[in-house]
Amino acid sequence: QVQLVESGGGLVQAGGSLRLSCAASGSVFRRSLMGWYRQAPGKQRDAVATIDSGGNTNYADSAKGRFTISRDNAKDTVYLQMNSLKPEDTAVYYCKVEGVRTWGTPYAYWGQGTQVTVSS
């Protein structure tokens, strides 16, 4: 069983920065695709950024140039550095791990979410 624990959310003024962390337990982290998603009230959950086992990254257009995703395989942790935050970044941010096990079974796990609130 994989467990994800997010931290680092909070209240920040527009233009400020936050760094989210997601620590994973279990044996799948190093070969998994890791991602950060967010969900604002009344809206669907959308991808913000992903990073694969080789360190290749993808960002939503809204995150490009402001957010940076990274991973530390030694600590089984993925980070999201968020700079130049805007009120529209306000949402619950979720960490996700996904991949395919050795025997071919796909897996996907979500963290519990961490609230990010950006005041204007």
mmCIF file of all heavy atoms in Angstrom, residues 18-49:
data_model
loop_
_atom_site.group_PDB
_atom_site.id
_atom_site.type_symbol
_atom_site.label_atom_id
_atom_site.label_comp_id
_atom_site.label_asym_id
_atom_site.label_seq_id
_atom_site.Cartn_x
_atom_site.Cartn_y
_atom_site.Cartn_z
ATOM 1 N N LEU A 18 5.122 29.620 -2.078
ATOM 2 C CA LEU A 18 4.932 28.471 -1.203
ATOM 3 C C LEU A 18 5.641 27.275 -1.810
ATOM 4 O O LEU A 18 5.766 27.185 -3.044
ATOM 5 C CB LEU A 18 3.452 28.128 -1.033
ATOM 6 C CG LEU A 18 2.599 28.990 -0.119
ATOM 7 C CD1 LEU A 18 1.138 28.550 -0.224
ATOM 8 C CD2 LEU A 18 3.068 28.924 1.319
ATOM 9 N N ARG A 19 6.056 26.355 -0.942
ATOM 10 C CA ARG A 19 6.661 25.110 -1.418
ATOM 11 C C ARG A 19 5.881 23.956 -0.824
ATOM 12 O O ARG A 19 5.838 23.784 0.402
ATOM 13 C CB ARG A 19 8.116 25.023 -0.989
ATOM 14 C CG ARG A 19 8.861 23.830 -1.608
ATOM 15 C CD ARG A 19 10.175 23.612 -0.916
ATOM 16 N NE ARG A 19 11.063 22.743 -1.660
ATOM 17 C CZ ARG A 19 12.046 22.046 -1.107
ATOM 18 N NH1 ARG A 19 12.268 22.122 0.202
ATOM 19 N NH2 ARG A 19 12.835 21.281 -1.844
ATOM 20 N N LEU A 20 5.268 23.177 -1.693
ATOM 21 C CA LEU A 20 4.532 21.996 -1.262
ATOM 22 C C LEU A 20 5.445 20.775 -1.312
ATOM 23 O O LEU A 20 6.305 20.652 -2.190
ATOM 24 C CB LEU A 20 3.329 21.757 -2.169
ATOM 25 C CG LEU A 20 2.348 22.919 -2.343
ATOM 26 C CD1 LEU A 20 1.175 22.478 -3.196
ATOM 27 C CD2 LEU A 20 1.884 23.451 -1.007
ATOM 28 N N SER A 21 5.236 19.888 -0.352
ATOM 29 C CA SER A 21 5.977 18.631 -0.302
ATOM 30 C C SER A 21 5.013 17.471 -0.260
ATOM 31 O O SER A 21 3.926 17.580 0.312
ATOM 32 C CB SER A 21 6.889 18.577 0.932
ATOM 33 O OG SER A 21 7.837 19.614 0.919
ATOM 34 N N CYS A 22 5.406 16.367 -0.831
ATOM 35 C CA CYS A 22 4.606 15.142 -0.800
ATOM 36 C C CYS A 22 5.547 13.981 -0.549
ATOM 37 O O CYS A 22 6.363 13.640 -1.414
ATOM 38 C CB CYS A 22 3.857 14.964 -2.108
ATOM 39 S SG CYS A 22 2.998 13.380 -2.254
ATOM 40 N N ALA A 23 5.427 13.399 0.634
ATOM 41 C CA ALA A 23 6.274 12.274 1.007
ATOM 42 C C ALA A 23 5.516 10.975 0.780
ATOM 43 O O ALA A 23 4.373 10.834 1.215
ATOM 44 C CB ALA A 23 6.683 12.395 2.474
ATOM 45 N N ALA A 24 6.159 10.049 0.094
ATOM 46 C CA ALA A 24 5.519 8.784 -0.245
ATOM 47 C C ALA A 24 6.109 7.639 0.560
ATOM 48 O O ALA A 24 7.315 7.591 0.802
ATOM 49 C CB ALA A 24 5.679 8.498 -1.731
ATOM 50 N N SER A 25 5.263 6.738 0.980
ATOM 51 C CA SER A 25 5.706 5.491 1.598
ATOM 52 C C SER A 25 5.408 4.356 0.630
ATOM 53 O O SER A 25 4.558 4.490 -0.240
ATOM 54 C CB SER A 25 4.984 5.252 2.921
ATOM 55 O OG SER A 25 3.599 5.058 2.694
ATOM 56 N N GLY A 26 6.090 3.252 0.754
ATOM 57 C CA GLY A 26 5.900 2.167 -0.188
ATOM 58 C C GLY A 26 7.092 2.045 -1.110
ATOM 59 O O GLY A 26 8.052 2.814 -1.022
ATOM 60 N N SER A 27 7.025 1.116 -2.021
ATOM 61 C CA SER A 27 8.206 0.784 -2.815
ATOM 62 C C SER A 27 8.118 1.229 -4.263
ATOM 63 O O SER A 27 8.945 0.851 -5.074
ATOM 64 C CB SER A 27 8.428 -0.732 -2.776
ATOM 65 O OG SER A 27 7.301 -1.394 -3.305
ATOM 66 N N VAL A 28 7.121 2.073 -4.603
ATOM 67 C CA VAL A 28 6.913 2.371 -6.018
ATOM 68 C C VAL A 28 7.433 3.730 -6.432
ATOM 69 O O VAL A 28 7.461 4.048 -7.605
ATOM 70 C CB VAL A 28 5.415 2.286 -6.369
ATOM 71 C CG1 VAL A 28 4.892 0.887 -6.093
ATOM 72 C CG2 VAL A 28 4.598 3.321 -5.584
ATOM 73 N N PHE A 29 7.843 4.545 -5.486
ATOM 74 C CA PHE A 29 8.094 5.953 -5.789
ATOM 75 C C PHE A 29 9.068 6.145 -6.932
ATOM 76 O O PHE A 29 8.806 6.895 -7.873
ATOM 77 C CB PHE A 29 8.607 6.661 -4.532
ATOM 78 C CG PHE A 29 8.896 8.122 -4.734
ATOM 79 C CD1 PHE A 29 7.885 9.059 -4.625
ATOM 80 C CD2 PHE A 29 10.180 8.554 -5.043
ATOM 81 C CE1 PHE A 29 8.145 10.421 -4.825
ATOM 82 C CE2 PHE A 29 10.449 9.906 -5.240
ATOM 83 C CZ PHE A 29 9.427 10.828 -5.124
ATOM 84 N N ARG A 30 10.195 5.491 -6.868
ATOM 85 C CA ARG A 30 11.301 5.824 -7.774
ATOM 86 C C ARG A 30 10.989 5.525 -9.239
ATOM 87 O O ARG A 30 11.618 6.095 -10.118
ATOM 88 C CB ARG A 30 12.565 5.102 -7.326
ATOM 89 C CG ARG A 30 12.992 5.538 -5.941
ATOM 90 C CD ARG A 30 14.283 4.942 -5.483
ATOM 91 N NE ARG A 30 14.560 5.331 -4.105
ATOM 92 C CZ ARG A 30 15.699 5.095 -3.485
ATOM 93 N NH1 ARG A 30 16.676 4.464 -4.110
ATOM 94 N NH2 ARG A 30 15.857 5.481 -2.238
ATOM 95 N N ARG A 31 10.046 4.632 -9.509
ATOM 96 C CA ARG A 31 9.734 4.332 -10.907
ATOM 97 C C ARG A 31 8.389 4.922 -11.336
ATOM 98 O O ARG A 31 7.902 4.629 -12.412
ATOM 99 C CB ARG A 31 9.714 2.824 -11.129
ATOM 100 C CG ARG A 31 8.680 2.073 -10.331
ATOM 101 C CD ARG A 31 8.734 0.583 -10.648
ATOM 102 N NE ARG A 31 7.718 -0.180 -9.959
ATOM 103 C CZ ARG A 31 7.869 -0.714 -8.772
ATOM 104 N NH1 ARG A 31 9.013 -0.547 -8.135
ATOM 105 N NH2 ARG A 31 6.902 -1.413 -8.211
ATOM 106 N N SER A 32 7.824 5.750 -10.460
ATOM 107 C CA SER A 32 6.469 6.258 -10.705
ATOM 108 C C SER A 32 6.470 7.644 -11.334
ATOM 109 O O SER A 32 7.412 8.425 -11.189
ATOM 110 C CB SER A 32 5.695 6.339 -9.387
ATOM 111 O OG SER A 32 5.534 5.070 -8.815
ATOM 112 N N LEU A 33 5.361 7.926 -11.993
ATOM 113 C CA LEU A 33 5.049 9.279 -12.429
ATOM 114 C C LEU A 33 4.427 9.992 -11.233
ATOM 115 O O LEU A 33 3.468 9.502 -10.647
ATOM 116 C CB LEU A 33 4.073 9.260 -13.594
ATOM 117 C CG LEU A 33 3.586 10.622 -14.090
ATOM 118 C CD1 LEU A 33 4.714 11.373 -14.786
ATOM 119 C CD2 LEU A 33 2.399 10.450 -15.030
ATOM 120 N N MET A 34 4.970 11.139 -10.881
ATOM 121 C CA MET A 34 4.450 11.924 -9.762
ATOM 122 C C MET A 34 3.818 13.188 -10.306
ATOM 123 O O MET A 34 4.317 13.770 -11.271
ATOM 124 C CB MET A 34 5.574 12.299 -8.788
ATOM 125 C CG MET A 34 6.324 11.119 -8.223
ATOM 126 S SD MET A 34 5.294 10.059 -7.202
ATOM 127 C CE MET A 34 4.769 11.212 -5.934
ATOM 128 N N GLY A 35 2.762 13.614 -9.664
ATOM 129 C CA GLY A 35 2.110 14.818 -10.145
ATOM 130 C C GLY A 35 1.441 15.612 -9.047
ATOM 131 O O GLY A 35 1.131 15.082 -7.977
ATOM 132 N N TRP A 36 1.273 16.883 -9.330
ATOM 133 C CA TRP A 36 0.485 17.771 -8.474
ATOM 134 C C TRP A 36 -0.756 18.193 -9.261
ATOM 135 O O TRP A 36 -0.659 18.571 -10.442
ATOM 136 C CB TRP A 36 1.288 19.001 -8.074
ATOM 137 C CG TRP A 36 2.323 18.720 -7.047
ATOM 138 C CD1 TRP A 36 3.653 18.486 -7.248
ATOM 139 C CD2 TRP A 36 2.110 18.633 -5.634
ATOM 140 N NE1 TRP A 36 4.287 18.258 -6.050
ATOM 141 C CE2 TRP A 36 3.362 18.343 -5.041
ATOM 142 C CE3 TRP A 36 1.000 18.771 -4.809
ATOM 143 C CZ2 TRP A 36 3.521 18.193 -3.665
ATOM 144 C CZ3 TRP A 36 1.161 18.624 -3.448
ATOM 145 C CH2 TRP A 36 2.408 18.334 -2.882
ATOM 146 N N TYR A 37 -1.894 18.120 -8.583
ATOM 147 C CA TYR A 37 -3.173 18.510 -9.156
ATOM 148 C C TYR A 37 -3.813 19.507 -8.197
ATOM 149 O O TYR A 37 -3.443 19.576 -7.020
ATOM 150 C CB TYR A 37 -4.081 17.283 -9.318
ATOM 151 C CG TYR A 37 -3.570 16.283 -10.332
ATOM 152 C CD1 TYR A 37 -2.450 15.507 -10.060
ATOM 153 C CD2 TYR A 37 -4.198 16.126 -11.558
ATOM 154 C CE1 TYR A 37 -1.961 14.602 -10.986
ATOM 155 C CE2 TYR A 37 -3.725 15.221 -12.495
ATOM 156 C CZ TYR A 37 -2.607 14.459 -12.206
ATOM 157 O OH TYR A 37 -2.126 13.568 -13.122
ATOM 158 N N ARG A 38 -4.787 20.240 -8.700
ATOM 159 C CA ARG A 38 -5.490 21.148 -7.808
ATOM 160 C C ARG A 38 -6.969 21.198 -8.164
ATOM 161 O O ARG A 38 -7.357 20.969 -9.313
ATOM 162 C CB ARG A 38 -4.880 22.549 -7.861
ATOM 163 C CG ARG A 38 -5.059 23.286 -9.175
ATOM 164 C CD ARG A 38 -4.288 24.602 -9.134
ATOM 165 N NE ARG A 38 -4.458 25.387 -10.350
ATOM 166 C CZ ARG A 38 -3.788 26.490 -10.631
ATOM 167 N NH1 ARG A 38 -2.871 26.959 -9.764
ATOM 168 N NH2 ARG A 38 -4.012 27.153 -11.742
ATOM 169 N N GLN A 39 -7.748 21.509 -7.136
ATOM 170 C CA GLN A 39 -9.192 21.592 -7.306
ATOM 171 C C GLN A 39 -9.713 22.782 -6.534
ATOM 172 O O GLN A 39 -9.606 22.825 -5.303
ATOM 173 C CB GLN A 39 -9.869 20.300 -6.840
ATOM 174 C CG GLN A 39 -11.348 20.245 -7.145
ATOM 175 C CD GLN A 39 -11.914 18.853 -6.929
ATOM 176 O OE1 GLN A 39 -11.342 18.014 -6.232
ATOM 177 N NE2 GLN A 39 -13.039 18.579 -7.558
ATOM 178 N N ALA A 40 -10.268 23.733 -7.270
ATOM 179 C CA ALA A 40 -10.895 24.901 -6.660
ATOM 180 C C ALA A 40 -12.362 24.583 -6.405
ATOM 181 O O ALA A 40 -12.937 23.697 -7.046
ATOM 182 C CB ALA A 40 -10.746 26.106 -7.567
ATOM 183 N N PRO A 41 -13.006 25.281 -5.478
ATOM 184 C CA PRO A 41 -14.421 25.020 -5.177
ATOM 185 C C PRO A 41 -15.282 25.107 -6.424
ATOM 186 O O PRO A 41 -15.200 26.072 -7.192
ATOM 187 C CB PRO A 41 -14.761 26.126 -4.178
ATOM 188 C CG PRO A 41 -13.463 26.457 -3.536
ATOM 189 C CD PRO A 41 -12.437 26.316 -4.605
ATOM 190 N N GLY A 42 -16.097 24.073 -6.634
ATOM 191 C CA GLY A 42 -17.003 24.059 -7.765
ATOM 192 C C GLY A 42 -16.364 23.743 -9.091
ATOM 193 O O GLY A 42 -17.038 23.802 -10.134
ATOM 194 N N LYS A 43 -15.095 23.402 -9.087
ATOM 195 C CA LYS A 43 -14.390 23.108 -10.337
ATOM 196 C C LYS A 43 -13.823 21.693 -10.312
ATOM 197 O O LYS A 43 -13.716 21.063 -9.271
ATOM 198 C CB LYS A 43 -13.284 24.126 -10.566
ATOM 199 C CG LYS A 43 -13.790 25.549 -10.774
ATOM 200 C CD LYS A 43 -12.683 26.487 -11.182
ATOM 201 C CE LYS A 43 -13.207 27.876 -11.462
ATOM 202 N NZ LYS A 43 -12.121 28.808 -11.899
ATOM 203 N N GLN A 44 -13.441 21.208 -11.468
ATOM 204 C CA GLN A 44 -12.859 19.876 -11.555
ATOM 205 C C GLN A 44 -11.401 19.910 -11.118
ATOM 206 O O GLN A 44 -10.786 20.962 -11.054
ATOM 207 C CB GLN A 44 -12.959 19.348 -12.988
ATOM 208 C CG GLN A 44 -12.108 20.113 -14.007
ATOM 209 C CD GLN A 44 -12.258 19.553 -15.414
ATOM 210 O OE1 GLN A 44 -13.218 18.852 -15.722
ATOM 211 N NE2 GLN A 44 -11.303 19.852 -16.281
ATOM 212 N N ARG A 45 -10.872 18.734 -10.822
ATOM 213 C CA ARG A 45 -9.483 18.614 -10.450
ATOM 214 C C ARG A 45 -8.626 18.597 -11.720
ATOM 215 O O ARG A 45 -8.847 17.800 -12.622
ATOM 216 C CB ARG A 45 -9.258 17.330 -9.645
ATOM 217 C CG ARG A 45 -7.892 17.221 -9.030
ATOM 218 C CD ARG A 45 -7.784 15.980 -8.148
ATOM 219 N NE ARG A 45 -8.727 16.033 -7.041
ATOM 220 C CZ ARG A 45 -8.771 15.101 -6.069
ATOM 221 N NH1 ARG A 45 -7.912 14.085 -6.090
ATOM 222 N NH2 ARG A 45 -9.653 15.200 -5.110
ATOM 223 N N ASP A 46 -7.658 19.481 -11.762
ATOM 224 C CA ASP A 46 -6.820 19.615 -12.942
ATOM 225 C C ASP A 46 -5.354 19.380 -12.606
ATOM 226 O O ASP A 46 -4.908 19.682 -11.494
ATOM 227 C CB ASP A 46 -6.957 21.021 -13.551
ATOM 228 C CG ASP A 46 -8.329 21.274 -14.144
ATOM 229 O OD1 ASP A 46 -8.909 20.339 -14.715
ATOM 230 O OD2 ASP A 46 -8.815 22.410 -14.025
ATOM 231 N N ALA A 47 -4.622 18.900 -13.583
ATOM 232 C CA ALA A 47 -3.189 18.708 -13.406
ATOM 233 C C ALA A 47 -2.464 20.049 -13.404
ATOM 234 O O ALA A 47 -2.805 20.947 -14.184
ATOM 235 C CB ALA A 47 -2.638 17.819 -14.508
ATOM 236 N N VAL A 48 -1.501 20.171 -12.528
ATOM 237 C CA VAL A 48 -0.666 21.366 -12.453
ATOM 238 C C VAL A 48 0.712 21.074 -13.038
ATOM 239 O O VAL A 48 1.221 21.822 -13.863
ATOM 240 C CB VAL A 48 -0.517 21.840 -11.001
ATOM 241 C CG1 VAL A 48 0.432 23.037 -10.914
ATOM 242 C CG2 VAL A 48 -1.875 22.188 -10.406
ATOM 243 N N ALA A 49 1.313 19.967 -12.601
ATOM 244 C CA ALA A 49 2.647 19.606 -13.070
ATOM 245 C C ALA A 49 2.888 18.131 -12.796
ATOM 246 O O ALA A 49 2.352 17.584 -11.829
ATOM 247 C CB ALA A 49 3.716 20.449 -12.370
#
